[in-house]
Amino acid sequence: MLPVIWFCIVAVMVAMYVVLDGFDLGAGIVHLGVARTDRERRAVIKSIGPVWDGNEVWLLAGGGALYFAFPALYASSFSGFYLPLMMVLWLLILRGISVEFRNHIDNPVWKPLWDTVFCFSSGLLAVFFGVALGNVVRGVPLDAAGEFFLPLWTDWTPGPNPGILDWYTILVGLFAFFTLTQHGALWVAYKTENGVRERARRIARLAWFAVAAFTVIVTLVSFRIQPQLSRSFAAMPFGFVFPLLALVGLSGAFLFWRRQEDLKAFISSAVFVIGMLTSVVFGVFPYVLPANTDPALSLTIHNASAPAYGLRIGLIWFAPGLALATSYSVFLYRKFAGKVQLEEGGY
């Protein structure tokens, strides 16, 4: 029972990170498209400025919970995915310093440089996170010791000797890119006014159609790539509530966009993201890292988890930590609620 509880905790941490830092990434992706002047670009950055670094706490919380509860998964994945993890780390660094550095020097080259870095690092991070999810769903070539190594690419096919990049993982990466583009555009529309809001709404509309198309395509292909998805939903039909949640969120995002109810459209986008992630988590359960060669070599919640005593003690200490992080997030979002009010300097 304890491994199941910690599996759900890690899933919640990841979902919180994707929903919260996802709109930060999306705001970065649409940054150059919705903002035409320096004042407009500062408004976009200020829409995420008070919360973006706090949102990344959920990534640390998810990584910490993963390390604590499933040390075998942590050891296997962080060694096998070493190269892409280093690339993600550098993209996170570039994205962070681009937000902090852009206003330090008033120069016609300095600010556009960091605005471009902010946009492209955000876009690449969205793609890489999607590719990572695609690798987990597809599976990796685990050996009997629970180890694997993946080159960046091989023959671009998700066969027994795949690379990190193949046609399936790139497909999932593009899906993540358009999903977070819509998510971020709706957030920017909610937080800004006038021209920035209208341009963000136009981008959100275009992204919605791409998200809808990729939802259908990626879902059909994923069931073909990973047989465990079909087995999970067939064995536990109540799991269809998660895809239904995603469908409701996607429909709500478009409906409220048409009504120009920006906050409700953004919340619907968050519901869609949660529905898709929980569908994946439910579909691969009880695997935490499937093997694409022999399913018997897969890492599951049982053979990858820490001892029961550690899980039980950790659960006791985890509860107040989660309450503290949640309380801080609620306070932060209430403190900076409403439209962006831009001062003359900074963001």
Side-chain angles (χ1 to χ4, degrees):
M1 187 61 184
L2 284 171
V4 176
I5 293 174
W6 276 102
F7 179 78
C8 294
I9 288 174
V10 172
V12 169
M13 297 294 100
V14 173
M16 288 293 294
Y17 171 72
V18 175
V19 168
L20 296 179
D21 204 41
F23 72 73
D24 293 345
L25 293 173
I29 293 169
V30 304
H31 184 220
L32 297 181
V34 301
R36 304 291 172 80
T37 65
D38 180 69
R39 184 175 181 83
E40 290 181 343
R41 290 179 180 175
R42 287 195 292 120
V44 173
I45 294 177
K46 187 171 182 179
S47 72
I48 65 170
V51 298
W52 73 270
D53 47 356
N55 291 341
E56 292 189 345
V57 167
W58 294 99
L59 178 62
L60 298 176
L66 181 69
Y67 172 74
F68 171 79
F70 303 104
L73 170 63
Y74 187 90
S76 178
S77 58
F78 272 63
S79 58
F81 291 127
Y82 186 81
L83 175 59
L85 282 170
M86 289 300 102
M87 297 172 72
V88 165
L89 178 62
W90 276 105
L91 290 171
L92 286 169
I93 292 171
L94 287 172
R95 178 170 166 264
I97 63 176
S98 65
V99 172
E100 298 295 342
F101 281 9
R102 81 174 301 275
N103 288 311
H104 285 196
I105 299 177
D106 189 11
N107 183 280
V109 175
W110 181 264
K111 289 182 178 180
L113 169 66
W114 290 115
D115 288 336
T116 302
V117 171
F118 179 49
C119 179
F120 281 93
S121 60
S122 298
L124 287 174
L125 273 171
V127 172
F128 266 79
F129 286 142
V131 167
L133 181 62
N135 273 269
V136 172
V137 174
R138 179 205 62 199
V140 297
L142 286 164
D143 60 21
E147 299 176 353
F148 71 97
F149 171 76
L150 288 177
L152 196 56
W153 66 80
T154 54
D155 57 359
W156 300 95
T157 59
N161 297 302
I164 294 166
L165 299 176
D166 58 42
W167 65 262
Y168 173 70
T169 59
I170 291 176
L171 189 69
V172 180
L174 291 175
F175 180 35
F177 175 83
F178 287 116
T179 298
L180 296 188
T181 297
Q182 173 193 249
H183 197 47
L186 289 172
W187 172 261
V188 172
Y190 162 60
K191 294 292 289 183
T192 58
E193 298 176 308
N194 304 323
V196 176
R197 175 179 179 265
E198 292 307 314
R199 288 189 287 271
R201 280 175 48 79
R202 285 198 294 269
I203 291 176
R205 177 178 178 272
L206 294 174
W208 186 91
F209 289 104
V211 170
F214 271 91
T215 299
V216 176
I217 296 169
V218 170
T219 299
L220 294 175
V221 173
S222 295
F223 273 85
R224 185 185 180 98
I225 291 290
Q226 180 51 262
Q228 178 61 27
L229 298 176
S230 299
R231 290 194 290 266
S232 293
F233 282 98
M236 298 174 285
F238 68 86
F240 282 101
V241 69
F242 301 121
L244 180 61
L245 185 67
L247 182 61
V248 169
L250 187 62
S251 302
F254 186 76
L255 175 64
F256 291 121
W257 175 88
R258 292 192 63 179
R259 294 180 180 177
Q260 299 197 30
E261 299 181 48
D262 297 327
L263 178 57
K264 292 181 179 179
F266 171 74
I267 293 174
S268 297
S269 175
V271 170
F272 169 73
V273 172
I274 292 172
M276 291 302 296
L277 287 173
T278 50
S279 297
V280 172
V281 170
F282 178 84
V284 299
F285 181 86
Y287 295 145
V288 290
L289 189 61
N292 67 340
T293 50
D294 182 1
L297 299 177
S298 300
L299 294 179
T300 70
I301 62 170
H302 304 293
N303 63 18
S305 64
Y309 177 78
L311 295 179
R312 186 165 55 252
I313 297 300
L315 196 59
I316 295 172
W317 287 100
F318 177 80
L322 178 62
L324 181 62
T326 303
S327 300
Y328 174 75
S329 294
V330 171
F331 167 79
L332 197 63
Y333 280 91
R334 292 189 65 179
K335 179 70 174 178
F336 295 99
K339 298 289 185 179
V340 167
Q341 301 296 321
L342 197 63
E343 295 81 16
E344 287 303 316
Y347 61 84

